[in-house]
Amino acid sequence: MGSTKFTNPYAIEVIRTRRKELVGGISNTEDLLDLLVSNGVLLPENRVLVSSITAQEEKNSRMLSILVSRGERACRIFFYPCLKTAQPDLYQNMKTYVGQLNENIKDTRRQLIGYLLEKDRKGPIKKIQDTSRNPLNEGVEHKSKKTELHPSSDELKKSSAEPKESSNAIPKAVSTGDVPLLQELIRGININDRNVSSGTLLHLAAEHGQVPVINFLLCQGAKLDLRDGLGRTALHKASEMGHTAAVVALVRAGADIYATDQASKTPQHLAAQNGHENAVRMLVVEERRSFKNQTTFLHMAAVDDDSVLAEILLRNGASVDTRDGQRKTALFHAISRGNEKTAAVLLQAGAQVDSGIIEAAFELNRKPVLSLLLRNIKTAMSRNEVKSILFKAVQRNLDGIVAALIDSGADVNARNDLGYTPLLLAIELSNLEVFKVLISNKAQLDKRLPNQMSALHLAIQSGSMPITELLLDMGMDPNIIGPKERMPLHLSALHNQPALMALLLHKGAQINAVTQDGLTALHLASQSGHKEAVAQLLEGKADLHAQDRQARTALHWAAAQGDVGIIKLLLFAGSNANAVDKDRKTPLHLAAMAGHAQTVSTLLNAKAKFAAKDMDGCTALHYAARNGHVRVAAVLLTSGRNKNVNERNVWRRTPLHLAAEHGQELVVDLLLERRAKINAIDNNKDTPLHSACRAGHLGTVQKLVNWIHGEKVNFQATNNVMKTPLQVAEAEGTRNHQRITVLLKKKMFLIK
């Protein structure tokens, strides 16, 4: 176009001729795209498509191609105001080029690209008369003013025709593809005017598959995105009627292939439901060519469970494993929504099944969906993946899914990282339905956890009566030995399950069987404070006098636990309140050590001996004093009428020695009030004051030296190494010992 070989240098021709300069000269492509969208030249989808291209020149080239495909009006707006705003220097170059053309072309009958020059003038632009009514008429030769003032005889005939005949002429020209006639007829009209029902002229051309008319209308500025009364675009019309060439022309011009009508149907839906597979195929090809990593027609079909559309799409080249922007395939969407029909079509087409799709089936929690997946898996899953899925199904108690997995070859006796088999896990979680499925599929009952817990132990531990009954009915030994030689009955005692106890005993469990530590079920129930379990065992005639490895009876453990209810049950059943263990401690000793005052009272009422001594010669009062249990000490002293206040152990230490040594000030007060000997000496000739000074208990020393009722403390008493309490305190270096030293010196009047 550097010469005057043509007489109508329109904007579209300028773009074609100066394309190389424009492609290389546009640097602000993104700004230019924004302007084109805001001026209605490009659709937002076109902008996204162009912006996705990385190379600058390729991006510019694609933008210009779309502009040319959209016609003369789009190209004009591209130059002004868009190019002028975004690239003023490049716009000036184009303007200079166009000005040269105006000088060379001396034909006033033609509208030149001098449009650019006119746009820069101040004030309104005065346009040529025959274009002021129809700015979309660029590209069509215009009559001169002279011709307009003196119409031809043909024109006079046309003007005298009836209005009805004239109004029908344009649609007829469009539907028959008569472009020359259409050029004449559309003068002075807006080609984007819409009929309420049938839409624009572009809709009509698309409906009749008239590609030349479509191209002509697009060049005249016809808009691709306008809708008819049903909300359909021209592409909808072409697709519905199966006009493949028209579909191609519209898509290549930038029509939105994903536009939906009022019924949420895309052009692809209409092509498919009307059996136009060539149009379907063309839309699939365009989708694969231009739209990557986004929701496709196949994804939409999967979401809507439109299995018929999915089948048509796959038959016409749609890729079954295409991923959308979230990296999800159509199969994922079908499975996650439970759309079995479409999922079946996709699987039949070879859709890949990965762990994400399996997880989606789990979340849906529907057996038919997973069964469908497992029947149609085309890609072999690793054994670890299958195992992982199996254990998840067991954990969630999905019996149908477990059955489907086993039917598909999953190992029913596989172990996970913690050593569980599916059966052991189901039992521990009390998942009865899965348990039944596993049993029916020959899961092995004799498998154990690494710690030797058996299926029956786990059933007891979880408290599942139905599973326990089934296991026992299947022949499991009620006396099977588990960790630490515990039997199921021991676990039922530990977990306070009297009903399970009764079942086990009915099935032959040994009521007095012992663990590795010599504990019976009665020991364990008493030790754990489970009154119901104790009652059940007593009803079953458990041995009250059985002793464990420490020679302790159930009453010893109940006393240590401090459960008065259990103690009363055991005593009522005939337990010996004065039974001794290996250390010759009675239940009273253990209760006093733990500080259970009510338990101590209960045992004393049952004829427990308050003065009983263990192998160290300690009474219950010694332990109460040592541990600071004032209430227990008071109960014991009252029971012994204070005669036990000065009892000595094998080291000749009284309760007061132990209370002083351990700083139990309240007990010291109580013992002194009950006439404990303040200066009693032990094997080392230490008095309680020696013991308190050595341990550094300032408060206890103060109690002893300030005691004024009865015998007073002896400051001069010496022990077997000839040291007084003061000298014992001085031998230590802590701050408390220093304070004790000062206190004693003041009391002895050695200092003021």
Side-chain angles (χ1 to χ4, degrees):
M1 188 176 140
S3 65
T4 59
K5 289 183 180 179
F6 59 86
T7 58
N8 53 343
Y10 298 116
I12 194 168
E13 293 297 334
V14 173
I15 287 180
R16 287 171 178 161
T17 305
R18 312 298 292 185
R19 186 183 184 95
K20 186 174 181 181
E21 183 179 349
L22 289 168
V23 167
I26 295 172
S27 58
N28 296 329
T29 311
E30 295 299 324
D31 293 343
L32 191 52
L33 286 169
D34 288 337
L35 289 167
L36 290 168
V37 171
S38 65
N39 279 275
V41 175
L42 295 184
L43 297 173
E45 301 94 290
N46 300 136
R47 190 207 188 292
V48 172
L49 176 62
V50 174
S51 295
S52 66
I53 301 172
T54 305
Q56 183 71 24
E57 292 194 357
E58 184 182 349
K59 181 184 294 189
N60 293 339
S61 179
R62 186 59 184 272
M63 175 180 66
L64 294 176
S65 295
I66 294 175
L67 287 168
V68 170
S69 72
R70 293 184 72 84
E72 174 65 19
R73 179 176 176 275
C75 295
R76 282 170 45 196
I77 295 174
F78 161 73
F79 281 112
Y80 185 91
C82 299
L83 185 65
K84 182 176 181 181
T85 302
Q87 302 268 181
D89 293 339
L90 186 57
Y91 172 80
Q92 288 301 321
N93 292 343
M94 295 296 106
K95 179 178 172 183
T96 301
Y97 167 72
V98 168
Q100 294 170 351
L101 287 178
N102 275 357
E103 292 174 2
N104 293 332
I105 300 174
K106 306 299 183 180
D107 187 352
T108 58
R109 293 173 304 169
R110 307 294 183 186
Q111 180 190 8
L112 303 180
I113 198 63
Y115 172 84
L116 291 175
L117 300 175
E118 292 182 1
K119 276 289 184 179
D120 283 339
R121 294 174 185 171
K122 294 182 179 179
I125 300 171
K126 184 177 181 180
K127 297 185 180 179
I128 298 175
Q129 183 179 351
D130 65 350
T131 61
S132 63
R133 299 191 311 273
N134 182 21
L136 300 177
N137 257 348
E138 291 84 0
V140 183
E141 292 188 359
H142 301 286
K143 306 274 185 190
S144 67
K145 292 182 181 180
K146 181 179 179 180
T147 303
E148 289 172 355
L149 293 172
H150 303 283
S152 65
S153 59
D154 289 339
E155 289 171 326
L156 289 172
K157 289 178 182 179
K158 289 179 182 178
S159 64
S160 63
E162 294 181 7
K164 181 177 180 181
E165 181 182 348
S166 176
S167 64
N168 290 334
I170 292 177
K172 184 175 180 180
V174 172
S175 61
T176 58
D178 191 342
V179 175
L181 176 59
L182 186 61
Q183 286 178 324
E184 297 295 327
L185 293 174
I186 64 171
R187 286 184 187 156
I189 70 168
N190 182 353
I191 62 172
N192 287 311
D193 281 346
R194 285 177 287 180
N195 181 289
V196 174
S197 59
S198 61
T200 65
L201 294 179
L202 188 62
H203 282 87
L204 186 60
E207 182 179 358
H208 288 85
Q210 296 295 346
V211 176
V213 175
I214 289 172
N215 290 332
F216 168 72
L217 290 172
L218 290 172
C219 287
Q220 302 307 305
K223 295 181 179 179
L224 289 161
D225 57 344
L226 295 179
R227 311 286 182 127
D228 65 7
L230 298 176
R232 294 176 176 176
T233 64
L235 184 57
H236 278 95
K237 291 283 192 180
S239 301
E240 181 181 26
M241 302 305 295
H243 298 311
T244 306
V247 169
V248 172
L250 290 166
V251 171
R252 293 296 167 85
D256 181 7
I257 65 175
Y258 298 120
T260 56
D261 63 13
Q262 291 176 359
S264 299
K265 301 292 184 181
T266 65
Q268 185 68 282
H269 283 98
L270 299 182
Q273 72 185 25
N274 287 286
H276 303 311
E277 296 209 11
N278 285 336
V280 171
R281 188 176 302 110
M282 183 272 143
L283 287 167
V284 168
V285 168
E286 182 62 23
E287 182 180 60
R288 295 180 67 173
R289 183 176 69 86
S290 303
F291 300 91
K292 307 293 183 184
N293 298 324
Q294 70 177 51
T295 301
T296 65
F297 293 124
L298 192 60
H299 286 95
M300 296 176 189
V303 169
D304 297 335
D305 201 18
D306 192 339
S307 59
V308 174
L309 175 59
E311 197 167 3
I312 294 172
L313 291 169
L314 291 166
R315 190 165 61 240
N316 286 280
S319 176
V320 71
D321 288 318
T322 297
R323 296 183 181 271
D324 61 16
Q326 274 127 23
R327 307 298 299 155
K328 306 297 185 185
T329 63
L331 181 59
F332 174 88
H333 290 294
I335 293 296
S336 63
R337 290 166 174 78
N339 296 339
E340 294 174 40
K341 291 181 180 179
T342 306
V345 169
L346 295 167
L347 287 165
Q348 191 64 32
Q352 301 294 307
V353 179
D354 56 25
S355 57
I357 290 173
I358 295 291
E359 186 62 30
F362 270 70
E363 292 300 325
L364 186 66
N365 193 16
R366 284 175 56 181
K367 175 188 174 183
V369 172
L370 188 65
S371 297
L372 174 68
L373 283 178
L374 295 171
R375 287 197 305 270
N376 290 276
I377 288 178
K378 300 296 182 184
T379 303
M381 297 180 71
S382 70
R383 292 180 64 183
N384 283 337
E385 286 177 320
V386 173
K387 183 173 72 173
S388 174
I389 293 169
L390 176 60
F391 276 96
K392 283 182 181 178
V394 170
Q395 188 174 14
R396 300 183 192 183
N397 202 24
L398 304 176
D399 54 321
I401 292 179
V402 170
L405 287 165
I406 295 172
D407 290 344
S408 299
D411 183 1
V412 71
N413 294 307
R415 289 189 182 272
N416 65 11
D417 294 340
L418 298 176
Y420 284 86
T421 65
L423 183 68
L424 293 175
L425 181 59
I427 293 171
E428 181 170 276
L429 298 174
S430 298
N431 291 342
L432 179 60
E433 290 77 14
V434 167
F435 171 81
K436 290 178 179 178
V437 169
L438 293 167
I439 288 298
S440 66
N441 282 277
K442 300 181 179 179
Q444 296 176 8
L445 293 177
D446 60 350
K447 297 290 185 181
R448 293 175 178 248
L449 291 180
N451 66 357
Q452 293 306 300
M453 287 282 276
S454 71
L456 188 56
H457 284 87
L458 289 172
I460 297 296
Q461 182 173 274
S462 67
S464 175
M465 176 64 78
I467 292 178
T468 302
E469 287 179 324
L470 287 171
L471 290 173
L472 291 169
D473 288 343
M474 286 186 289
M476 284 207 76
D477 182 4
N479 295 305
I480 186 171
I481 296 174
K484 298 182 180 179
E485 299 183 17
R486 289 176 177 173
M487 297 179 185
L489 188 65
H490 293 115
L491 289 186
S492 67
L494 274 172
H495 297 286
N496 198 27
Q497 294 161 336
L500 287 175
M501 266 183 190
L503 174 63
L504 289 167
L505 291 170
H506 177 71
K507 291 290 185 177
Q510 298 172 15
I511 196 167
N512 294 314
V514 298
T515 68
Q516 181 178 297
D517 298 321
L519 298 166
T520 65
L522 187 59
H523 283 104
L524 293 169
S526 301
Q527 185 183 69
S528 303
H530 297 321
K531 185 176 179 180
E532 296 84 356
V534 169
Q536 180 65 52
L537 290 165
L538 291 176
E539 185 179 337
K541 307 300 181 185
D543 185 2
L544 288 166
H545 309 297
Q547 296 179 304
D548 61 15
R549 293 288 175 84
Q550 299 178 64
R552 290 183 177 179
T553 64
L555 188 60
H556 279 92
W557 288 111
Q561 172 70 23
D563 192 311
V564 175
I566 292 177
I567 289 168
K568 288 181 178 179
L569 279 176
L570 293 171
L571 289 170
F572 182 79
S575 289
N576 182 4
N578 292 302
V580 295
D581 63 13
K582 276 190 173 181
D583 297 326
R584 299 200 58 78
K585 287 183 174 64
T586 64
L588 190 64
H589 283 97
L590 300 182
M593 289 171 70
H596 302 309
Q598 192 175 355
T599 299
V600 168
S601 294
T602 302
L603 290 168
L604 289 170
N605 290 335
K607 308 302 181 184
K609 297 176 181 178
F610 66 84
K613 295 187 176 183
D614 63 11
M615 64 189 309
D616 292 325
C618 291
T619 64
L621 184 59
H622 281 89
Y623 290 110
R626 179 189 185 281
N627 295 335
H629 300 313
V630 180
R631 290 180 57 206
V632 172
V635 170
L636 289 167
L637 287 166
T638 300
S639 178
R641 298 181 182 179
N642 299 331
K643 292 179 182 179
N644 51 343
V645 70
N646 290 309
E647 287 286 350
R648 297 175 183 272
N649 62 18
V650 294
W651 296 283
R652 296 191 57 77
R653 309 194 80 189
T654 65
L656 187 59
H657 278 94
L658 296 180
E661 180 181 9
H662 292 277
Q664 306 295 356
E665 298 174 28
L666 295 177
V667 178
V668 167
D669 269 342
L670 174 65
L671 292 171
L672 289 173
E673 288 170 2
R674 298 297 183 94
R675 300 182 181 178
K677 293 181 179 180
I678 197 168
N679 294 310
I681 58 174
D682 62 14
N683 280 354
N684 296 318
K685 293 189 177 180
D686 281 329
T687 64
L689 185 58
H690 280 91
S691 298
C693 289
R694 184 176 293 106
H697 296 305
L698 177 61
T700 303
V701 170
Q702 288 174 329
K703 294 284 186 186
L704 292 168
V705 300
N706 291 328
W707 180 252
I708 59 175
H709 306 290
E711 184 182 8
K712 295 182 180 179
V713 70
N714 183 3
F715 292 103
Q716 302 300 332
T718 57
N719 59 19
N720 59 356
V721 291
M722 304 305 293
K723 286 190 176 181
T724 64
L726 176 59
Q727 291 170 325
V728 169
E730 288 176 331
E732 305 293 338
T734 69
R735 189 172 183 81
N736 258 10
H737 286 98
Q738 292 171 1
R739 290 174 176 172
I740 290 171
T741 299
V742 172
L743 173 63
L744 292 176
K745 285 182 177 181
K746 286 182 178 180
K747 288 292 182 180
M748 296 169 68
F749 304 107
L750 298 177
I751 60 173
K752 290 184 180 180

